Amino acid sequence: MAEVLSADEVDRQLGAEWERDGDEIVRVYEFDDYLDGVTFAAAVGEVAEEEFHHPEIIIRYEAVEVRLTSHEEGGITEKDLRLADLFDDEV
């Protein structure tokens, strides 16, 4: 079981495009069209499955919102920060 990080630890390690929203980290990725966002969401899904840590993904017309938290642990852990970095690599 991973350890929940403090708000200060999350803020220090979180990528510039991400923000903390309570017990989650969130980023909205912008795209030129809907299908680019769908393709990105599918790539994120594959990474999440490989890591066995699954985000909430909301697909909009020209944007995809990704939310990460470690439900079992009750907050944000290193797993979430790692996945955020891996998702950023997919853009």
Side-chain angles (χ1 to χ4, degrees), residues 30-66:
E30 303 288 335
F31 296 94
D32 291 333
D33 65 42
Y34 179 75
L35 289 179
D36 288 343
V38 170
T39 300
F40 171 75
V44 162
E46 288 181 25
V47 171
E49 188 65 15
E50 289 171 10
E51 296 291 319
F52 199 69
H53 191 60
H54 303 93
E56 179 178 340
I57 303 170
I58 301 166
I59 302 171
R60 298 188 183 106
Y61 180 66
E62 292 182 338
V64 175
E65 180 179 312
V66 178

Side-chain angles (χ1 to χ4, degrees), residues 15 17-18 27 29 40 83-91:
E17 300 293 325
W18 289 82
R27 178 170 176 189
Y29 296 86
F40 171 75
L83 225 54
D85 288 340
L86 291 173
F87 293 167
D88 287 350
D89 290 344
E90 294 296 319
V91 179

